[in-house]
Amino acid sequence: MKKERLTKRLALFTALTLTGAMLAGCGNTDAAESSSDAQTGVTADTQASAGDASADVVYRTLDEIKESGTINIGVFSDKNPFGYVDENGEYQGYDVYFANRLAEDLGVDVNFVSTEAASRIEYLQTGKVDVILANFTVTPERAEEVDFALPYMNVSLGVISPDSAVVESLDDLTADDPVIVISGTTAETYLTENYPDLTLQKYDSYAAAKTALENGSGVAWANDNTEVIAFALQNPGYTVGIPELGSTDTIAPAVSKGNTTVLDWINEEIKALGEENFFHADYEATLADTYGSDYEDTLVVEGGETK
């Protein structure tokens, strides 16, 4: 009898011991999981912070650009005579001439980054380029997303069409008369706001828009008047029926929002270049063959001072 009670007590003791061990083990597991969760939480918070930071505007300061030895400048590669790649694979044009001087005076090499109109703001915000010099018209909407430096050129909108059916007023067009525009340009914005009933044929690049005009995909092409005038001068059979549409605006370099070191340097550079009539020299080297001398004083802004 005593032996039986002893056996039962031993069994109970063993069971309690095992249960305690299991509970202790579970407690340790929970603690480990809690510790792991805590560590994961810190990592998650850090990643969230990193994610938030990456969502913000990214840019390099002037000192960082100097230290790297290279400035990344966004230009067009298909918009002759402002930014294009020639038969030798070299970037040329009015904006490129200016970009080369910026790099020279900063004491760094220049890396040209080909951009399309709709990508200009994105390329700045993501740090793909330090500066945009791609016929970037200054508008209040764009100024909310990027910082514009002083202007170096005047511009307004224009409309080009075939000689066989010259468009002299957009009021004469109907929804059956598509007008070619390039996405992300002031022409798209202006026509959308002021001529909502027009049908817009949208393209991503200047080359595509020009091809569309040549193929008759639209009755006319609306774009910067500098561009459509150049196209008409270089391609017989087309007329700029509307040489000025809307207000006269300015073209300026753009940097990432808040990049004051680069912005301030470019502004001072533009003022200094104005003292040597740099932008008139730029015009004569890159635009005179297209426009002649008649447009020089109208288009060029010297030293950041508009008339």
Side-chain angles (χ1 to χ4, degrees), residues 161-196:
S161 48
D163 288 347
S164 57
V166 177
V167 174
E168 297 182 338
S169 173
L170 295 179
D171 294 328
D172 297 335
L173 303 181
T174 69
D176 295 327
D177 302 315
V179 176
I180 298 166
V181 296
I182 298 169
S183 298
T185 61
T186 50
E188 178 191 16
T189 302
Y190 180 84
L191 295 185
T192 299
E193 293 177 352
N194 295 279
Y195 293 89

PDB file of all heavy atoms in Angstrom, residues 161-196:
ATOM      1  N   SER A 161       1.270  73.508 -89.473  1.00  0.00           N
ATOM      2  CA  SER A 161       0.386  72.622 -90.240  1.00  0.00           C
ATOM      3  C   SER A 161       0.868  72.563 -91.689  1.00  0.00           C
ATOM      4  O   SER A 161       1.675  73.394 -92.115  1.00  0.00           O
ATOM      5  CB  SER A 161      -1.061  73.123 -90.174  1.00  0.00           C
ATOM      6  OG  SER A 161      -1.120  74.508 -90.440  1.00  0.00           O
ATOM      7  N   PRO A 162       0.387  71.594 -92.466  1.00  0.00           N
ATOM      8  CA  PRO A 162       0.809  71.479 -93.866  1.00  0.00           C
ATOM      9  C   PRO A 162       0.350  72.676 -94.698  1.00  0.00           C
ATOM     10  O   PRO A 162      -0.693  73.279 -94.423  1.00  0.00           O
ATOM     11  CB  PRO A 162       0.117  70.189 -94.338  1.00  0.00           C
ATOM     12  CG  PRO A 162      -0.184  69.440 -93.091  1.00  0.00           C
ATOM     13  CD  PRO A 162      -0.465  70.469 -92.053  1.00  0.00           C
ATOM     14  N   ASP A 163       1.138  73.026 -95.699  1.00  0.00           N
ATOM     15  CA  ASP A 163       0.777  74.137 -96.583  1.00  0.00           C
ATOM     16  C   ASP A 163      -0.579  73.916 -97.243  1.00  0.00           C
ATOM     17  O   ASP A 163      -1.278  74.873 -97.590  1.00  0.00           O
ATOM     18  CB  ASP A 163       1.840  74.302 -97.678  1.00  0.00           C
ATOM     19  CG  ASP A 163       3.138  74.883 -97.137  1.00  0.00           C
ATOM     20  OD1 ASP A 163       3.131  75.381 -95.990  1.00  0.00           O
ATOM     21  OD2 ASP A 163       4.159  74.824 -97.855  1.00  0.00           O
ATOM     22  N   SER A 164      -0.953  72.665 -97.424  1.00  0.00           N
ATOM     23  CA  SER A 164      -2.214  72.347 -98.110  1.00  0.00           C
ATOM     24  C   SER A 164      -3.446  72.659 -97.266  1.00  0.00           C
ATOM     25  O   SER A 164      -4.555  72.763 -97.803  1.00  0.00           O
ATOM     26  CB  SER A 164      -2.245  70.861 -98.486  1.00  0.00           C
ATOM     27  OG  SER A 164      -2.065  70.053 -97.328  1.00  0.00           O
ATOM     28  N   ALA A 165      -3.252  72.812 -95.955  1.00  0.00           N
ATOM     29  CA  ALA A 165      -4.390  73.124 -95.077  1.00  0.00           C
ATOM     30  C   ALA A 165      -3.861  73.842 -93.840  1.00  0.00           C
ATOM     31  O   ALA A 165      -3.823  73.286 -92.743  1.00  0.00           O
ATOM     32  CB  ALA A 165      -5.135  71.858 -94.696  1.00  0.00           C
ATOM     33  N   VAL A 166      -3.444  75.094 -94.030  1.00  0.00           N
ATOM     34  CA  VAL A 166      -2.831  75.855 -92.949  1.00  0.00           C
ATOM     35  C   VAL A 166      -3.863  76.188 -91.870  1.00  0.00           C
ATOM     36  O   VAL A 166      -4.937  76.711 -92.176  1.00  0.00           O
ATOM     37  CB  VAL A 166      -2.192  77.147 -93.483  1.00  0.00           C
ATOM     38  CG1 VAL A 166      -1.628  77.972 -92.329  1.00  0.00           C
ATOM     39  CG2 VAL A 166      -1.105  76.825 -94.496  1.00  0.00           C
ATOM     40  N   VAL A 167      -3.538  75.880 -90.634  1.00  0.00           N
ATOM     41  CA  VAL A 167      -4.407  76.203 -89.503  1.00  0.00           C
ATOM     42  C   VAL A 167      -3.972  77.552 -88.936  1.00  0.00           C
ATOM     43  O   VAL A 167      -2.857  77.702 -88.448  1.00  0.00           O
ATOM     44  CB  VAL A 167      -4.325  75.123 -88.399  1.00  0.00           C
ATOM     45  CG1 VAL A 167      -5.126  75.549 -87.167  1.00  0.00           C
ATOM     46  CG2 VAL A 167      -4.823  73.788 -88.929  1.00  0.00           C
ATOM     47  N   GLU A 168      -4.863  78.545 -89.025  1.00  0.00           N
ATOM     48  CA  GLU A 168      -4.557  79.890 -88.534  1.00  0.00           C
ATOM     49  C   GLU A 168      -5.328  80.230 -87.271  1.00  0.00           C
ATOM     50  O   GLU A 168      -5.035  81.242 -86.624  1.00  0.00           O
ATOM     51  CB  GLU A 168      -4.836  80.928 -89.620  1.00  0.00           C
ATOM     52  CG  GLU A 168      -3.949  80.750 -90.850  1.00  0.00           C
ATOM     53  CD  GLU A 168      -4.191  81.804 -91.909  1.00  0.00           C
ATOM     54  OE1 GLU A 168      -5.301  82.412 -91.896  1.00  0.00           O
ATOM     55  OE2 GLU A 168      -3.294  82.036 -92.737  1.00  0.00           O
ATOM     56  N   SER A 169      -6.294  79.394 -86.922  1.00  0.00           N
ATOM     57  CA  SER A 169      -7.061  79.594 -85.689  1.00  0.00           C
ATOM     58  C   SER A 169      -7.557  78.249 -85.188  1.00  0.00           C
ATOM     59  O   SER A 169      -8.154  77.480 -85.956  1.00  0.00           O
ATOM     60  CB  SER A 169      -8.253  80.523 -85.935  1.00  0.00           C
ATOM     61  OG  SER A 169      -9.074  80.582 -84.780  1.00  0.00           O
ATOM     62  N   LEU A 170      -7.322  77.979 -83.918  1.00  0.00           N
ATOM     63  CA  LEU A 170      -7.799  76.714 -83.347  1.00  0.00           C
ATOM     64  C   LEU A 170      -9.313  76.689 -83.224  1.00  0.00           C
ATOM     65  O   LEU A 170      -9.913  75.619 -83.111  1.00  0.00           O
ATOM     66  CB  LEU A 170      -7.155  76.504 -81.971  1.00  0.00           C
ATOM     67  CG  LEU A 170      -5.638  76.313 -81.960  1.00  0.00           C
ATOM     68  CD1 LEU A 170      -5.138  76.136 -80.530  1.00  0.00           C
ATOM     69  CD2 LEU A 170      -5.232  75.101 -82.812  1.00  0.00           C
ATOM     70  N   ASP A 171      -9.926  77.861 -83.264  1.00  0.00           N
ATOM     71  CA  ASP A 171     -11.393  77.925 -83.186  1.00  0.00           C
ATOM     72  C   ASP A 171     -12.050  77.310 -84.413  1.00  0.00           C
ATOM     73  O   ASP A 171     -13.236  76.963 -84.375  1.00  0.00           O
ATOM     74  CB  ASP A 171     -11.852  79.383 -83.038  1.00  0.00           C
ATOM     75  CG  ASP A 171     -11.418  79.985 -81.708  1.00  0.00           C
ATOM     76  OD1 ASP A 171     -11.338  79.224 -80.722  1.00  0.00           O
ATOM     77  OD2 ASP A 171     -11.134  81.201 -81.664  1.00  0.00           O
ATOM     78  N   ASP A 172     -11.280  77.185 -85.503  1.00  0.00           N
ATOM     79  CA  ASP A 172     -11.822  76.609 -86.732  1.00  0.00           C
ATOM     80  C   ASP A 172     -11.834  75.084 -86.714  1.00  0.00           C
ATOM     81  O   ASP A 172     -12.418  74.457 -87.599  1.00  0.00           O
ATOM     82  CB  ASP A 172     -11.007  77.091 -87.939  1.00  0.00           C
ATOM     83  CG  ASP A 172     -11.095  78.598 -88.132  1.00  0.00           C
ATOM     84  OD1 ASP A 172     -12.099  79.199 -87.687  1.00  0.00           O
ATOM     85  OD2 ASP A 172     -10.143  79.167 -88.709  1.00  0.00           O
ATOM     86  N   LEU A 173     -11.193  74.492 -85.716  1.00  0.00           N
ATOM     87  CA  LEU A 173     -11.073  73.038 -85.655  1.00  0.00           C
ATOM     88  C   LEU A 173     -12.240  72.418 -84.895  1.00  0.00           C
ATOM     89  O   LEU A 173     -12.850  73.049 -84.025  1.00  0.00           O
ATOM     90  CB  LEU A 173      -9.757  72.638 -84.995  1.00  0.00           C
ATOM     91  CG  LEU A 173      -8.475  73.173 -85.651  1.00  0.00           C
ATOM     92  CD1 LEU A 173      -7.256  72.672 -84.891  1.00  0.00           C
ATOM     93  CD2 LEU A 173      -8.405  72.775 -87.121  1.00  0.00           C
ATOM     94  N   THR A 174     -12.516  71.167 -85.215  1.00  0.00           N
ATOM     95  CA  THR A 174     -13.560  70.408 -84.526  1.00  0.00           C
ATOM     96  C   THR A 174     -12.936  69.190 -83.857  1.00  0.00           C
ATOM     97  O   THR A 174     -11.728  68.957 -83.955  1.00  0.00           O
ATOM     98  CB  THR A 174     -14.645  69.943 -85.511  1.00  0.00           C
ATOM     99  OG1 THR A 174     -14.080  68.931 -86.380  1.00  0.00           O
ATOM    100  CG2 THR A 174     -15.149  71.103 -86.356  1.00  0.00           C
ATOM    101  N   ALA A 175     -13.778  68.408 -83.199  1.00  0.00           N
ATOM    102  CA  ALA A 175     -13.296  67.197 -82.531  1.00  0.00           C
ATOM    103  C   ALA A 175     -12.752  66.182 -83.525  1.00  0.00           C
ATOM    104  O   ALA A 175     -12.022  65.255 -83.145  1.00  0.00           O
ATOM    105  CB  ALA A 175     -14.414  66.579 -81.713  1.00  0.00           C
ATOM    106  N   ASP A 176     -13.089  66.347 -84.807  1.00  0.00           N
ATOM    107  CA  ASP A 176     -12.595  65.444 -85.844  1.00  0.00           C
ATOM    108  C   ASP A 176     -11.253  65.878 -86.413  1.00  0.00           C
ATOM    109  O   ASP A 176     -10.736  65.250 -87.343  1.00  0.00           O
ATOM    110  CB  ASP A 176     -13.625  65.346 -86.982  1.00  0.00           C
ATOM    111  CG  ASP A 176     -14.925  64.710 -86.528  1.00  0.00           C
ATOM    112  OD1 ASP A 176     -14.876  63.824 -85.651  1.00  0.00           O
ATOM    113  OD2 ASP A 176     -15.990  65.109 -87.047  1.00  0.00           O
ATOM    114  N   ASP A 177     -10.704  66.952 -85.871  1.00  0.00           N
ATOM    115  CA  ASP A 177      -9.418  67.472 -86.343  1.00  0.00           C
ATOM    116  C   ASP A 177      -8.379  67.354 -85.229  1.00  0.00           C
ATOM    117  O   ASP A 177      -8.171  68.293 -84.447  1.00  0.00           O
ATOM    118  CB  ASP A 177      -9.555  68.943 -86.752  1.00  0.00           C
ATOM    119  CG  ASP A 177     -10.592  69.151 -87.841  1.00  0.00           C
ATOM    120  OD1 ASP A 177     -10.585  68.370 -88.805  1.00  0.00           O
ATOM    121  OD2 ASP A 177     -11.392  70.104 -87.727  1.00  0.00           O
ATOM    122  N   PRO A 178      -7.711  66.214 -85.120  1.00  0.00           N
ATOM    123  CA  PRO A 178      -6.756  66.015 -84.020  1.00  0.00           C
ATOM    124  C   PRO A 178      -5.530  66.924 -84.132  1.00  0.00           C
ATOM    125  O   PRO A 178      -4.986  67.122 -85.217  1.00  0.00           O
ATOM    126  CB  PRO A 178      -6.364  64.540 -84.146  1.00  0.00           C
ATOM    127  CG  PRO A 178      -6.630  64.194 -85.568  1.00  0.00           C
ATOM    128  CD  PRO A 178      -7.804  65.026 -85.987  1.00  0.00           C
ATOM    129  N   VAL A 179      -5.124  67.452 -82.988  1.00  0.00           N
ATOM    130  CA  VAL A 179      -3.933  68.297 -82.911  1.00  0.00           C
ATOM    131  C   VAL A 179      -2.847  67.512 -82.177  1.00  0.00           C
ATOM    132  O   VAL A 179      -3.071  66.963 -81.095  1.00  0.00           O
ATOM    133  CB  VAL A 179      -4.226  69.611 -82.168  1.00  0.00           C
ATOM    134  CG1 VAL A 179      -2.944  70.433 -82.014  1.00  0.00           C
ATOM    135  CG2 VAL A 179      -5.285  70.420 -82.914  1.00  0.00           C
ATOM    136  N   ILE A 180      -1.675  67.462 -82.759  1.00  0.00           N
ATOM    137  CA  ILE A 180      -0.543  66.732 -82.184  1.00  0.00           C
ATOM    138  C   ILE A 180       0.087  67.542 -81.063  1.00  0.00           C
ATOM    139  O   ILE A 180       0.345  68.742 -81.222  1.00  0.00           O
ATOM    140  CB  ILE A 180       0.502  66.430 -83.274  1.00  0.00           C
ATOM    141  CG1 ILE A 180      -0.098  65.529 -84.362  1.00  0.00           C
ATOM    142  CG2 ILE A 180       1.758  65.802 -82.675  1.00  0.00           C
ATOM    143  CD1 ILE A 180       0.744  65.460 -85.621  1.00  0.00           C
ATOM    144  N   VAL A 181       0.333  66.903 -79.932  1.00  0.00           N
ATOM    145  CA  VAL A 181       1.065  67.531 -78.822  1.00  0.00           C
ATOM    146  C   VAL A 181       2.008  66.491 -78.229  1.00  0.00           C
ATOM    147  O   VAL A 181       1.851  65.285 -78.463  1.00  0.00           O
ATOM    148  CB  VAL A 181       0.133  68.065 -77.711  1.00  0.00           C
ATOM    149  CG1 VAL A 181      -0.750  69.190 -78.224  1.00  0.00           C
ATOM    150  CG2 VAL A 181      -0.697  66.949 -77.107  1.00  0.00           C
ATOM    151  N   ILE A 182       2.958  66.965 -77.446  1.00  0.00           N
ATOM    152  CA  ILE A 182       3.877  66.072 -76.744  1.00  0.00           C
ATOM    153  C   ILE A 182       3.499  66.062 -75.276  1.00  0.00           C
ATOM    154  O   ILE A 182       3.294  67.119 -74.664  1.00  0.00           O
ATOM    155  CB  ILE A 182       5.329  66.534 -76.925  1.00  0.00           C
ATOM    156  CG1 ILE A 182       5.701  66.495 -78.414  1.00  0.00           C
ATOM    157  CG2 ILE A 182       6.290  65.673 -76.119  1.00  0.00           C
ATOM    158  CD1 ILE A 182       7.007  67.167 -78.735  1.00  0.00           C
ATOM    159  N   SER A 183       3.369  64.885 -74.722  1.00  0.00           N
ATOM    160  CA  SER A 183       2.965  64.739 -73.327  1.00  0.00           C
ATOM    161  C   SER A 183       3.946  65.451 -72.398  1.00  0.00           C
ATOM    162  O   SER A 183       5.160  65.369 -72.580  1.00  0.00           O
ATOM    163  CB  SER A 183       2.895  63.258 -72.943  1.00  0.00           C
ATOM    164  OG  SER A 183       1.937  62.581 -73.724  1.00  0.00           O
ATOM    165  N   GLY A 184       3.396  66.145 -71.406  1.00  0.00           N
ATOM    166  CA  GLY A 184       4.233  66.817 -70.428  1.00  0.00           C
ATOM    167  C   GLY A 184       4.705  68.193 -70.836  1.00  0.00           C
ATOM    168  O   GLY A 184       5.519  68.788 -70.138  1.00  0.00           O
ATOM    169  N   THR A 185       4.203  68.729 -71.955  1.00  0.00           N
ATOM    170  CA  THR A 185       4.608  70.049 -72.419  1.00  0.00           C
ATOM    171  C   THR A 185       3.549  71.087 -72.069  1.00  0.00           C
ATOM    172  O   THR A 185       2.396  70.765 -71.764  1.00  0.00           O
ATOM    173  CB  THR A 185       4.835  70.072 -73.938  1.00  0.00           C
ATOM    174  OG1 THR A 185       3.606  69.724 -74.599  1.00  0.00           O
ATOM    175  CG2 THR A 185       5.915  69.077 -74.331  1.00  0.00           C
ATOM    176  N   THR A 186       3.945  72.355 -72.157  1.00  0.00           N
ATOM    177  CA  THR A 186       2.993  73.431 -71.904  1.00  0.00           C
ATOM    178  C   THR A 186       1.908  73.469 -72.974  1.00  0.00           C
ATOM    179  O   THR A 186       0.806  73.941 -72.714  1.00  0.00           O
ATOM    180  CB  THR A 186       3.714  74.790 -71.853  1.00  0.00           C
ATOM    181  OG1 THR A 186       4.546  74.931 -73.014  1.00  0.00           O
ATOM    182  CG2 THR A 186       4.571  74.900 -70.611  1.00  0.00           C
ATOM    183  N   ALA A 187       2.209  72.985 -74.160  1.00  0.00           N
ATOM    184  CA  ALA A 187       1.191  72.939 -75.213  1.00  0.00           C
ATOM    185  C   ALA A 187       0.047  72.018 -74.807  1.00  0.00           C
ATOM    186  O   ALA A 187      -1.138  72.358 -74.980  1.00  0.00           O
ATOM    187  CB  ALA A 187       1.815  72.460 -76.530  1.00  0.00           C
ATOM    188  N   GLU A 188       0.376  70.859 -74.273  1.00  0.00           N
ATOM    189  CA  GLU A 188      -0.669  69.937 -73.803  1.00  0.00           C
ATOM    190  C   GLU A 188      -1.514  70.594 -72.724  1.00  0.00           C
ATOM    191  O   GLU A 188      -2.760  70.545 -72.766  1.00  0.00           O
ATOM    192  CB  GLU A 188      -0.043  68.657 -73.266  1.00  0.00           C
ATOM    193  CG  GLU A 188      -1.076  67.671 -72.728  1.00  0.00           C
ATOM    194  CD  GLU A 188      -0.455  66.525 -71.954  1.00  0.00           C
ATOM    195  OE1 GLU A 188       0.715  66.626 -71.561  1.00  0.00           O
ATOM    196  OE2 GLU A 188      -1.174  65.534 -71.715  1.00  0.00           O
ATOM    197  N   THR A 189      -0.861  71.222 -71.754  1.00  0.00           N
ATOM    198  CA  THR A 189      -1.585  71.862 -70.655  1.00  0.00           C
ATOM    199  C   THR A 189      -2.460  73.000 -71.154  1.00  0.00           C
ATOM    200  O   THR A 189      -3.637  73.108 -70.777  1.00  0.00           O
ATOM    201  CB  THR A 189      -0.590  72.410 -69.606  1.00  0.00           C
ATOM    202  OG1 THR A 189       0.215  71.340 -69.134  1.00  0.00           O
ATOM    203  CG2 THR A 189      -1.331  73.042 -68.441  1.00  0.00           C
ATOM    204  N   TYR A 190      -1.913  73.846 -72.019  1.00  0.00           N
ATOM    205  CA  TYR A 190      -2.653  75.009 -72.518  1.00  0.00           C
ATOM    206  C   TYR A 190      -3.888  74.587 -73.310  1.00  0.00           C
ATOM    207  O   TYR A 190      -4.989  75.126 -73.107  1.00  0.00           O
ATOM    208  CB  TYR A 190      -1.747  75.876 -73.383  1.00  0.00           C
ATOM    209  CG  TYR A 190      -2.442  77.092 -73.944  1.00  0.00           C
ATOM    210  CD1 TYR A 190      -2.547  78.258 -73.184  1.00  0.00           C
ATOM    211  CD2 TYR A 190      -3.009  77.072 -75.222  1.00  0.00           C
ATOM    212  CE1 TYR A 190      -3.204  79.380 -73.690  1.00  0.00           C
ATOM    213  CE2 TYR A 190      -3.667  78.194 -75.733  1.00  0.00           C
ATOM    214  CZ  TYR A 190      -3.760  79.342 -74.966  1.00  0.00           C
ATOM    215  OH  TYR A 190      -4.411  80.446 -75.464  1.00  0.00           O
ATOM    216  N   LEU A 191      -3.719  73.637 -74.213  1.00  0.00           N
ATOM    217  CA  LEU A 191      -4.856  73.217 -75.028  1.00  0.00           C
ATOM    218  C   LEU A 191      -5.909  72.489 -74.204  1.00  0.00           C
ATOM    219  O   LEU A 191      -7.117  72.637 -74.444  1.00  0.00           O
ATOM    220  CB  LEU A 191      -4.376  72.325 -76.180  1.00  0.00           C
ATOM    221  CG  LEU A 191      -3.474  73.004 -77.220  1.00  0.00           C
ATOM    222  CD1 LEU A 191      -3.170  72.047 -78.360  1.00  0.00           C
ATOM    223  CD2 LEU A 191      -4.119  74.273 -77.755  1.00  0.00           C
ATOM    224  N   THR A 192      -5.479  71.703 -73.245  1.00  0.00           N
ATOM    225  CA  THR A 192      -6.430  70.998 -72.385  1.00  0.00           C
ATOM    226  C   THR A 192      -7.287  71.986 -71.604  1.00  0.00           C
ATOM    227  O   THR A 192      -8.500  71.796 -71.450  1.00  0.00           O
ATOM    228  CB  THR A 192      -5.686  70.069 -71.403  1.00  0.00           C
ATOM    229  OG1 THR A 192      -4.941  69.105 -72.146  1.00  0.00           O
ATOM    230  CG2 THR A 192      -6.665  69.345 -70.487  1.00  0.00           C
ATOM    231  N   GLU A 193      -6.655  73.062 -71.122  1.00  0.00           N
ATOM    232  CA  GLU A 193      -7.381  74.043 -70.314  1.00  0.00           C
ATOM    233  C   GLU A 193      -8.210  75.011 -71.147  1.00  0.00           C
ATOM    234  O   GLU A 193      -9.315  75.398 -70.747  1.00  0.00           O
ATOM    235  CB  GLU A 193      -6.387  74.833 -69.456  1.00  0.00           C
ATOM    236  CG  GLU A 193      -5.699  73.993 -68.391  1.00  0.00           C
ATOM    237  CD  GLU A 193      -4.664  74.783 -67.615  1.00  0.00           C
ATOM    238  OE1 GLU A 193      -4.379  75.943 -68.007  1.00  0.00           O
ATOM    239  OE2 GLU A 193      -4.145  74.243 -66.615  1.00  0.00           O
ATOM    240  N   ASN A 194      -7.702  75.405 -72.297  1.00  0.00           N
ATOM    241  CA  ASN A 194      -8.355  76.459 -73.072  1.00  0.00           C
ATOM    242  C   ASN A 194      -9.153  75.954 -74.264  1.00  0.00           C
ATOM    243  O   ASN A 194     -10.033  76.680 -74.761  1.00  0.00           O
ATOM    244  CB  ASN A 194      -7.303  77.465 -73.557  1.00  0.00           C
ATOM    245  CG  ASN A 194      -6.648  78.211 -72.418  1.00  0.00           C
ATOM    246  OD1 ASN A 194      -7.195  79.172 -71.899  1.00  0.00           O
ATOM    247  ND2 ASN A 194      -5.466  77.757 -72.013  1.00  0.00           N
ATOM    248  N   TYR A 195      -8.879  74.747 -74.724  1.00  0.00           N
ATOM    249  CA  TYR A 195      -9.624  74.169 -75.839  1.00  0.00           C
ATOM    250  C   TYR A 195     -10.013  72.726 -75.494  1.00  0.00           C
ATOM    251  O   TYR A 195      -9.553  71.778 -76.132  1.00  0.00           O
ATOM    252  CB  TYR A 195      -8.778  74.199 -77.120  1.00  0.00           C
ATOM    253  CG  TYR A 195      -8.506  75.591 -77.632  1.00  0.00           C
ATOM    254  CD1 TYR A 195      -7.385  76.294 -77.195  1.00  0.00           C
ATOM    255  CD2 TYR A 195      -9.367  76.222 -78.536  1.00  0.00           C
ATOM    256  CE1 TYR A 195      -7.128  77.584 -77.644  1.00  0.00           C
ATOM    257  CE2 TYR A 195      -9.120  77.498 -79.002  1.00  0.00           C
ATOM    258  CZ  TYR A 195      -7.996  78.185 -78.550  1.00  0.00           C
ATOM    259  OH  TYR A 195      -7.758  79.459 -79.006  1.00  0.00           O
ATOM    260  N   PRO A 196     -10.858  72.570 -74.477  1.00  0.00           N
ATOM    261  CA  PRO A 196     -11.187  71.222 -73.990  1.00  0.00           C
ATOM    262  C   PRO A 196     -11.904  70.344 -75.008  1.00  0.00           C
ATOM    263  O   PRO A 196     -11.909  69.120 -74.868  1.00  0.00           O
ATOM    264  CB  PRO A 196     -12.079  71.499 -72.772  1.00  0.00           C
ATOM    265  CG  PRO A 196     -12.646  72.867 -73.020  1.00  0.00           C
ATOM    266  CD  PRO A 196     -11.563  73.617 -73.720  1.00  0.00           C
TER     267      PRO A 196
END
